[in-house]
Amino acid sequence: MTNYRDFHRRSIDHPEDFWREEARRIHWETPFDKVLDTSNPPFARWFVGGRTNLCHNAVDRHLVERAQQNALIYVSTETGIERRYTYAELYAEINRMAAVMRSLGVKRGERVLIYLPMIPEAVFAMLACARLGAIHSVVFGGFAAPNLAARIDDAKPVLIVTADAGARGGKVIDYTPLVDEALARAQHKTAQVLLIDRQLAPERLNASYLVNYEPLREQFFDAHVPCEWLESNEPSYVLYTSGTTGRPKGVQRDVGGYAVALAASMEYIFEGRAGDTMFTASDIGWVVGHSYIIYAPLLAGLTTVMYEGTPIRPDGGIWWRLVEQYKINLMFTAPTALRVLKKQDPALLKKSDLSSLRTLFLAGEPLDEPTASWITGALGKPVVDNYWQTETGWPMLAIQRGVEALPPKLGSPGVPAYGYDLTLRNEANGEPCAPGEKGVLTLGYPLPPGCMSTVWGDDQRFIDTYWSSVPGQAVYSTFDWGIQDDDGYVTILGRTDDVINVAGHRLGTREIEEALSSHAAVAEVAVVGVADPVKGQAALAFVVLRDAERYASDKARAKLSTELTATVDRQLGAIARPAHVHVVSMLPKTRSGKLLRRAIAALAEGREPGDLPTIEDPAALVQVREALAAASGKA
Ligand code: ATP
Ligand code: MG
């Protein structure tokens, strides 16, 4: 077994040797001349001159050995549909889709905007783009027309692939009126629209740009479309960040570096082997969906399970039943889903045979200790928290069990992944932090393969946004704040934007949230900083209670408030004590489960939160507003 420390060291000290070896995991139609080109920092080019194709590596390559193995298992608890595609069938469907796209004028380098729910055609469309050398830009199906329009104008697609409708929690969401409105709003008018008709909703698209997929699929049923061999650094896709902190950035990804990085991550981080089955419960509209529903499992010859539905319909046991039914070996989701599952009857988890499951992976937001302890205990299997961003495409921090199974530490996603030269730095002077000292997580140049190459259409924004914020240092900023211990384990303390400054003491929102959530009554919590005339800033807490009825009376609430304050005092000191603890029944979050702290802070300071395109449920904001109003009424 390799030792993590040496493995990581080697990847940083000898990146060319390290990644040259990893590059053997994929097929190169033309070998690369150079592993790494650093002639134009902060841009980096990997595997220069090499020509390859993501679809070939994810699908065609496996036809020799695993044509009859399932590549994709699709389950929808919204429509009751289950479909299985072997690698051979997936290959056929992608070729049909690619032929249809080609007939509609899609060519290498052109953009295809994919605005689809979780249906197999989304996978076909993404891989068909990869096959043709076209650049896909998947836009999360929950976005409304103005956000879709903004992305259409940024990506300027020749084609938009959409469906009649999505479905969520039993509700049908018509897509075509949204697409219609987005096209009316957008400046870019030349896109055609390819419609996948699920027959869930009447289609209301303007006929002039509409093309129906089904008849074309029939027409191209036996098509074989050759893969375009792309230079490793040509763009494969553009994906916009979640937009938690403001205007989303179009993250541009390459071809060769991404393929190599993902294939390597399957072994070193996910311990996934060809023939395994992986279930990533995310959405194709997010980076976790791109990398770990689609590309990584297929690149490594796994079977991937794609799920449309919520974790609690028809009941909270559905995911565990999927594990049993499909003998899922690896599962990947976000802590927010686990917090939902934790509220379900514990018997539901016990009912299914989970013996196939080896590891549960979690990413996207901080994994709080109570949730981590609960799921680790309940499953009796390793739970691997991993930290990364849309920008990086694969984990930056994790226990890399395929390298060395270091012991996990509760509250920390682990240690820097190989390839990432990660340093915590003081934001004021840019100097590296000592162990135990809080700072911003930065990455040294060059970013490893698989990370963003630039901001789509805006190289300057890539430099200005990511490489210019740490004084005196040409480093990439994650804009996340953390702390690293003597053993190299990093704990994320929140986003740099969310850091609270109380009377000169800097506190991560996460620290206070972690303290509050250690109280048994607390199910979920958000802490924000608000302007305070005396202390500069004060912390405000918004908690969701496990059993709200128990604390319905004013007296019980007051007692709880005192207890919560005491918990924070004990763990962090009185300086971190929230000025007020508000009780709500839900917190404003993005559709990917991230807390919208900025929006809460705006309301608390009497400002409007602005446009929140990715909000899960706007009613949560109403609750925050009401809680604030009630408290100021009492004060
Ligand atoms: P935007 O950049 O547009 O504001 P976003 O940052 O929410 O959107 P993503 O790239 O989806 O978009 O999210 C990445 C962020 O999620 C990280 O920077 C970090 O703040 C948080 N995050 C991800 N994984 C973890 C984790 N395991 N622990 C703690 N935080 C995490
Ligand atoms: Mg971000």
Side-chain angles (χ1 to χ4, degrees):
M1 189 109 205
T2 338
N3 143 322
Y4 158 73
R5 219 161 272 282
D6 294 345
F7 191 75
H8 183 263
R9 206 45 290 145
R10 181 163 176 272
S11 74
I12 303 304
D13 292 345
H14 305 284
E16 304 204 28
D17 296 341
F18 184 92
W19 291 106
R20 183 180 295 110
E21 275 167 38
E22 297 304 328
R24 290 201 213 121
R25 295 174 185 276
I26 70 158
H27 168 82
W28 296 92
E29 183 67 8
T30 312
F32 44 87
D33 318 312
K34 210 173 173 216
V35 177
L36 173 62
D37 169 9
T38 52
S39 61
N40 182 26
F43 302 92
R45 286 152 46 85
W46 287 96
F47 310 116
V48 182
R51 290 194 313 148
T52 185
N53 181 287
L54 276 167
C55 183
H56 175 88
N57 279 287
V59 183
D60 301 31
R61 193 168 52 124
H62 300 307
L63 294 177
V64 188
E65 279 182 38
R66 46 193 85 254
Q68 299 315 316
Q69 177 194 313
N70 282 326
L72 172 66
I73 297 177
Y74 173 72
V75 183
S76 170
T77 49
E78 298 291 344
T79 57
I81 290 172
E82 190 231 63
R83 285 196 251 156
R84 301 180 193 211
Y85 300 86
T86 62
Y87 271 94
E89 287 161 345
L90 179 60
Y91 172 84
E93 291 293 354
I94 293 165
N95 275 278
R96 287 163 200 150
M97 181 69 84
V100 170
M101 286 185 177
R102 197 171 56 178
S103 78
L104 297 172
V106 174
K107 289 199 267 305
R108 178 175 186 156
E110 242 138 18
R111 275 80 57 214
V112 174
L113 189 143
I114 298 175
Y115 183 68
L116 284 175
M118 291 286 282
I119 53 175
E121 286 78 3
V123 181
F124 310 156
M126 290 166 74
L127 290 166
C129 287
R131 200 168 185 86
L132 295 168
I135 302 165
H136 60 67
S137 184
V138 181
V139 175
F140 176 62
F143 281 122
N147 319 107
L148 182 56
R151 285 158 180 77
I152 292 172
D153 280 336
D154 196 65
K156 301 192 176 48
V158 289
L159 183 70
I160 296 172
V161 188
T162 192
D164 54 335
R168 199 178 140 85
K171 280 198 285 287
V172 169
I173 305 134
D174 286 13
Y175 277 26
T176 51
L178 295 170
V179 173
D180 241 357
E181 190 191 330
L183 282 167
R185 283 171 175 260
Q187 306 287 309
H188 176 79
K189 298 281 182 202
T190 49
Q192 293 188 79
V193 179
L194 182 64
L195 182 89
I196 316 286
D197 189 359
R198 309 175 74 188
Q199 319 231 312
L200 288 182
E203 51 194 70
R204 278 178 238 142
L205 269 175
N206 181 336
S208 70
Y209 45 66
L210 177 71
V211 187
N212 257 302
Y213 181 61
E214 198 47 42
L216 286 171
R217 176 176 174 271
E218 287 301 316
Q219 188 184 328
F220 292 103
F221 202 77
D222 298 316
H224 286 276
V225 177
C227 286
E228 279 283 333
W229 299 111
L230 303 178
E231 199 279 332
S232 177
N233 295 281
E234 284 183 55
S236 57
Y237 68 73
V238 176
L239 176 62
Y240 295 87
T241 57
S242 308
T244 311
T245 57
R247 184 160 73 100
K249 301 155 281 260
V251 167
Q252 177 178 322
R253 197 92 65 207
D254 70 359
V255 178
Y258 188 55
V260 170
L262 290 192
S265 77
M266 280 314 285
E267 175 179 341
Y268 297 136
I269 301 174
F270 294 89
E271 288 185 288
R273 297 180 281 267
D276 280 347
T277 299
M278 180 166 191
F279 169 31
T280 299
S282 176
D283 191 281
I284 50 149
W286 311 125
V287 71
V288 172
H290 279 60
S291 291
Y292 295 101
I293 297 176
I294 303 177
Y295 286 109
L298 296 177
L299 284 165
L302 279 76
T303 301
T304 185
V305 176
M306 179 182 195
Y307 175 75
E308 180 185 49
T310 71
I312 50 167
R313 249 178 55 112
D315 61 61
I318 176 65
W319 283 5
W320 312 122
R321 287 199 295 281
L322 294 181
V323 171
E324 173 174 326
Q325 187 178 353
Y326 301 111
K327 302 204 168 35
I328 287 163
N329 308 111
L330 309 168
M331 190 169 159
F332 189 173
T333 188
T336 190
L338 283 190
R339 282 192 286 268
V340 170
L341 290 176
K342 194 173 155 197
K343 290 183 202 144
Q344 308 295 307
D345 178 358
L348 288 168
L349 195 145
K350 294 272 174 292
K351 260 193 217 153
S352 294
D353 174 4
L354 305 180
S355 56
S356 61
L357 189 66
R358 295 201 300 267
T359 315
L360 172 69
F361 297 89
L362 296 170
E365 33 150 352
L367 174 62
D368 56 288
E369 292 192 14
T371 306
S373 307
W374 166 72
I375 192 65
T376 310
L379 285 179
K381 322 247 175 183
V383 173
V384 176
D385 181 8
N386 54 108
Y387 157 86
W388 45 299
Q389 309 180 303
T390 308
E391 290 85 343
T392 66
W394 59 284
M396 262 183 279
L397 290 174
I399 298 293
Q400 298 137 66
R401 293 175 50 85
V403 179
E404 182 183 351
L406 293 173
K409 293 191 188 182
L410 273 182
S412 163
V415 292
Y418 55 90
Y420 289 99
D421 183 12
L422 189 143
T423 309
L424 274 81
R425 291 181 184 274
N426 181 302
E427 297 138 284
N429 60 24
E431 291 302 316
C433 297
E437 193 191 326
K438 297 171 197 171
V440 61
L441 274 78
T442 66
L443 300 173
Y445 176 77
L447 300 182
C451 291
M452 75 189 294
S453 347
T454 186
V455 172
W456 170 252
D458 198 346
D459 286 349
Q460 195 57 45
R461 192 170 175 207
F462 178 64
I463 301 170
D464 294 346
T465 304
Y466 296 105
W467 295 88
S468 311
S469 74
V470 180
Q473 305 288 332
V475 294
Y476 170 94
S477 177
T478 60
F479 298 101
D480 286 314
W481 218 50
I483 191 164
Q484 192 166 28
D485 72 9
D486 288 315
D487 301 323
Y489 288 65
V490 178
T491 299
I492 305 296
L493 298 174
R495 296 168 187 256
T496 52
D497 287 357
D498 295 333
V499 170
I500 303 174
N501 199 330
V502 186
H505 296 262
R506 306 203 350 114
L507 297 160
T509 45
R510 168 80 196 283
E511 297 176 81
I512 309 173
E513 287 168 4
E514 190 76 30
L516 289 166
S517 69
S518 71
H519 190 286
V522 174
E524 279 189 79
V525 54
V527 167
V528 299
V530 293
D532 181 280
V534 182
K535 299 182 203 154
Q537 266 187 314
L540 282 190
F542 293 80
V543 299
V544 178
L545 299 177
R546 213 170 286 288
D547 180 3
E549 270 162 41
R550 234 184 97 187
Y551 299 96
S553 71
D554 279 354
K555 200 172 145 216
R557 281 279 168 93
K559 184 167 169 280
L560 175 67
S561 201
T562 315
E563 282 174 26
L564 289 173
T565 317
T567 309
V568 176
D569 284 4
R570 222 173 19 250
Q571 296 186 22
L572 297 170
I575 192 81
R577 181 191 291 179
H580 199 103
V581 178
H582 298 277
V583 176
V584 290
S585 68
M586 64 177 152
L587 294 168
K589 286 186 190 168
T590 65
R591 294 283 297 265
S592 54
K594 295 173 194 295
L595 280 172
L596 287 162
R597 291 195 191 77
R598 252 197 193 188
I600 303 176
L603 289 177
E605 290 181 342
R607 292 176 284 118
E608 276 310 305
D611 194 19
L612 299 165
T614 54
I615 190 164
E616 164 86 33
D617 186 347
L621 277 185
V622 177
Q623 285 217 11
V624 168
R625 224 185 266 273
E626 285 172 2
L628 288 162
S632 69
K634 272 182 208 161

